[in-house]
């Protein structure tokens, strides 16, 4: 819970005060280019409605295609040139973090473009006059042909994705589904206000997924339908966890508790996508350690069972002794004197079986000392439980200490690399 504060993820919050992040933010949320892309996607949807474009081409495909085309612009190329400074950086974590910040903002921007374009098609009266022009229509037809050709070449919508790809594809859309209000204002880029929170939660989910999966390379066939089902499932789980009024207050205040819960549920479902039993193995790792502590008491409690065997074996052998019944009354006193020596020399029982049947009730005297041993065993198991609780508490303290060291280490690396001098 303490990893989130003031709407950001603590290990990386120094990133948001740097010039390079501000440049990424301004480049992504550029209103003139945003309006152009909304107008173009709206025109493509109109062509699709008139059967001039394949129905299989989605608004997401349109927005992504325009995003790729925009990389040719001078504005985007200038940002690419500035980010090249970190491409040869020895610290890959900083470079990957800047890349994540850019991709998260771009993903949310493309989603806003789709929703605004779809709203224009459903309510044509909202269409600004400058959104319709002959040049726009001509360019839209050319883009539609490129999208059709590309869709025909890609027969299957599924493609291999690694954990980082799935995280970047799922988390921003989950956050938009939770935070972007409905109804939304037209051409306001509402997701722009989620930038720091979205980058932080995405980083937290990535950390959780990679920690659960380990260093082994994982890949999965991920289709858009599978992704959308996962997003719906995550949002539904979070809606069911809080009443409407409480959830709305938590959303408006960027509640750290809610952000922590979002990251936890999302990381869990993404991990299960790559390793369905990984979650169960991880959750069972601690109980397995505790169950090993109970093995020893279980073996100790078996000892009294072996102690009871000795008297029964004596009775079995005593069945062969009725040949001399007349000698039993004369030696009862000697047996009472010898029972105290049974603990010291058990091997002598085999040699003196002829004298044992005289007083068989005395043979059960030895097991009466067993409750003391079982009592000590119960005390020992109790001490083992106490030791296990101490170990769990110590492991939690060590985990918190490691996380605090990680936060300071991450902030120092980011600060030294990209903070203004």
């Amino acid at each position: 819970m303490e990893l989130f504060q003031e709407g950001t993820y603590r290990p990386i919050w120094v990133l948001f005060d740097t010039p390079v992040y501000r440049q990424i933010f301004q480049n992504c949320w550029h209103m003139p280019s945003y309006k152009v892309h909304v107008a173009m996607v709206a025109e493509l949807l109109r062509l699709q409605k008139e059967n001039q474009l394949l129905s299989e081409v989605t608004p997401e495909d349109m927005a992504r295609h325009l995003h790729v085309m925009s990389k040719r612009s001078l504005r985007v190329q200038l940002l690419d040139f500035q980010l090249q400074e970190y491409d040869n950086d020895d610290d890959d974590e900083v470079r990957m973090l800047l890349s994540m910040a850019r991709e998260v903002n771009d993903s949310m921007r493309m989603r806003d473009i789709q929703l605004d374009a779809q709203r224009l098609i459903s309510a044509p009266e909202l269409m600004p006059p400058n959104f319709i022009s002959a040049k726009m229509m001509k360019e839209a037809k050319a883009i539609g042909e490129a999208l059709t050709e590309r869709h025909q070449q890609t027969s299957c919508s599924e493609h291999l994705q690694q954990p980082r790809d799935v995280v970047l594809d799922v988390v921003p859309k989950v956050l938009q589904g939770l935070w972007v209000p409905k109804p939304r204002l037209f051409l306001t880029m509402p997701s722009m206000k989620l930038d720091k929170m979205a980058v932080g939660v995405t980083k937290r989910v990535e950390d959780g997924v990679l920690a659960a999966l380990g260093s082994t390379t994982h890949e999965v066939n991920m289709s858009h339908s599978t992704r959308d089902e996962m997003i719906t499932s995550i949002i539904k789980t979070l809606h069911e966890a809080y009443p409407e009024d409480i959830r709305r207050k938590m959303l408006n205040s960027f509640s750290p508790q809610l952000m922590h819960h979002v990251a936890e549920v999302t990381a869990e479902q993404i991990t299960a996508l790559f390793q369905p039993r990984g979650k169960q193995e991880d959750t069972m790792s601690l109980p397995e350690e505790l169950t090993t502590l109970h093995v020893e008491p279980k073996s100790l409690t078996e000892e009294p069972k072996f102690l009871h065997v000795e008297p029964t074996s004596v009775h079995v052998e005593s069945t062969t002794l009725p040949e001399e019944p007349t000698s039993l009354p004369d030696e009862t006193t000697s047996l009472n004197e010898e029972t105290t020596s049974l603990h010291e020399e058990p091997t002598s029982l085999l040699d003196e079986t002829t004298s044992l049947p005289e007083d068989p009730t005395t043979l059960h005297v030895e097991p009466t000392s067993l409750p003391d041993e079982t009592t000590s065993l119960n005390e020992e198991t109790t001490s083992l439980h106490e030791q296990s609780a101490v170990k769990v508490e110590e492991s939690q303290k060590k985990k918190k200490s490691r996380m605090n060291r990680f936060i300071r280490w991450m902030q120092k690396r980011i600060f030294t690399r990209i903070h203004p001098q």
Side-chain angles (χ1 to χ4, degrees):
M1 193 75 66
E2 65 277 2
L3 290 178
F4 289 97
Q5 186 174 347
E6 299 179 1
T8 57
Y9 184 46
R10 282 183 56 198
I12 64 170
W13 66 2
V14 296
L15 169 71
F16 305 120
D17 292 329
T18 60
V20 63
Y21 180 80
R22 288 194 291 269
Q23 187 66 28
I24 291 173
F25 177 82
Q26 293 170 3
N27 186 279
C28 173
W29 300 105
H30 184 252
M31 180 58 80
S33 64
Y34 180 87
K35 291 181 178 180
V36 170
H37 285 186
V38 170
M40 186 63 69
V41 173
E43 179 62 20
L44 289 169
L45 290 174
R46 187 188 66 79
L47 293 175
Q48 190 176 58
K49 191 175 182 180
E50 295 177 357
N51 296 323
Q52 299 184 43
L53 180 62
L54 286 177
S55 59
E56 291 79 7
V57 178
T58 64
E60 182 178 354
D61 296 331
M62 302 173 189
R64 185 165 295 279
H65 184 80
L66 294 174
H67 175 68
V68 174
M69 292 179 60
S70 68
K71 293 182 178 180
R72 306 170 189 170
S73 66
L74 180 62
R75 177 177 52 83
V76 176
Q77 289 180 358
L78 179 60
L79 177 62
D80 293 338
F81 177 77
Q82 292 176 342
L83 293 178
Q84 286 179 2
E85 174 187 352
Y86 305 95
D87 288 346
N88 298 324
D89 189 4
D90 294 335
D91 194 345
D92 291 337
E93 185 67 28
V94 174
R95 179 174 55 83
M96 296 293 287
L97 186 57
L98 292 173
S99 175
M100 171 178 288
R102 188 179 186 182
E103 291 186 51
V104 168
N105 280 279
D106 285 340
S107 175
M108 294 193 298
R109 175 181 180 272
M110 286 186 285
R111 181 66 175 169
D112 281 353
I113 290 172
Q114 299 169 45
L115 295 178
D116 276 345
Q118 290 173 323
R119 187 177 180 185
L120 283 179
I121 293 299
S122 61
E125 66 275 7
L126 297 176
M127 182 77 70
N130 58 347
F131 274 32
I132 303 174
S133 64
K135 181 180 179 180
M136 179 75 68
M137 294 179 180
K138 182 178 180 180
E139 290 182 358
K141 288 183 179 180
I143 293 174
E145 293 175 358
L147 286 169
T148 300
E149 182 180 356
R150 181 180 178 183
H151 182 79
Q152 292 174 346
Q153 293 176 353
T154 308
S155 57
C156 182
S157 61
E158 293 186 353
H159 55 284
L160 287 175
Q161 287 189 337
Q162 295 183 353
R164 177 183 171 87
D165 302 324
V166 176
V167 169
L168 289 171
D169 199 14
V170 170
V171 179
K173 295 177 178 63
V174 169
L175 300 178
Q176 286 176 298
L178 289 169
W179 263 274
V180 175
K182 296 179 182 179
R184 46 182 283 162
L185 299 177
F186 181 60
L187 293 178
T188 58
M189 302 188 296
S191 300
M192 176 176 61
K193 299 178 181 179
L194 307 180
D195 67 307
K196 297 177 182 179
M197 183 271 290
V199 174
V201 174
T202 303
K203 176 59 177 172
R204 176 66 182 92
V205 172
E206 183 190 42
D207 291 345
V209 171
L210 295 182
L213 295 178
S215 58
T216 307
T217 302
H218 296 268
E219 289 184 334
V220 66
N221 281 322
M222 187 77 168
S223 65
H224 291 328
S225 59
T226 302
R227 179 205 63 193
D228 294 342
E229 290 174 0
M230 178 182 294
I231 293 171
T232 302
S233 174
I234 295 170
I235 294 176
K236 181 180 178 182
T237 301
L238 295 168
H239 280 178
E240 293 174 350
Y242 306 96
E244 174 65 24
D245 55 340
I246 296 178
R247 185 175 72 249
R248 182 54 52 191
K249 292 179 181 178
M250 298 174 75
L251 290 171
N252 293 337
S253 62
F254 290 100
S255 167
Q257 178 184 353
L258 181 58
M259 288 189 287
H260 175 84
H261 198 182
V262 170
E264 187 179 57
V265 173
T266 307
E268 180 180 332
Q269 293 208 22
I270 293 177
T271 301
L273 182 69
F274 289 90
Q275 192 175 1
R277 295 185 180 180
K279 180 185 68 173
Q280 298 178 359
E281 294 174 358
D282 292 340
T283 54
M284 289 297 292
S285 60
L286 183 58
E288 287 176 0
E289 180 181 355
L290 296 178
T291 52
T292 57
L293 296 175
H294 294 279
V295 173
E296 185 176 354
K298 183 178 179 182
S299 62
L300 290 173
T301 55
E302 294 176 354
E303 184 176 349
K305 297 180 182 179
F306 295 103
L307 294 175
H308 285 283
V309 173
E310 185 177 352
T312 55
S313 64
V314 174
H315 284 289
V316 172
E317 296 182 6
S318 65
T319 55
T320 60
L321 298 178
E323 296 179 358
E324 298 180 5
T326 56
S327 62
L328 296 178
D330 298 333
E331 297 180 359
T332 55
T333 57
S334 63
L335 282 176
N336 291 332
E337 296 174 356
E338 291 177 1
T339 53
T340 57
S341 64
L342 290 177
H343 295 283
E344 300 175 357
E345 297 180 2
T347 55
S348 62
L349 292 174
L350 298 177
D351 300 333
E352 298 179 5
T353 54
T354 56
S355 61
L356 292 178
E358 293 182 0
D359 194 357
T361 57
T362 60
L363 296 176
H364 293 282
V365 174
E366 181 181 353
T368 58
S369 62
L370 294 179
D372 295 336
E373 294 187 31
T374 57
T375 303
S376 63
L377 294 177
N378 292 333
E379 294 176 355
E380 187 170 351
T381 56
T382 303
S383 64
L384 289 173
H385 282 292
E386 293 175 354
Q387 293 175 7
S388 64
V390 172
K391 289 183 178 180
V392 171
E393 185 177 357
E394 290 178 353
S395 64
Q396 291 176 349
K397 291 181 179 179
K398 290 180 180 179
K399 182 178 179 180
K400 186 174 182 180
S401 177
R402 287 198 302 269
M403 181 56 68
N404 289 333
R405 290 198 301 269
F406 167 75
I407 292 173
R408 292 192 297 269
W409 169 70
M410 175 71 74
Q411 292 176 346
K412 182 178 179 181
R413 291 167 66 184
I414 298 173
F415 184 86
T416 55
R417 285 297 306 161
I418 59 181
H419 199 277
Q421 300 295 328

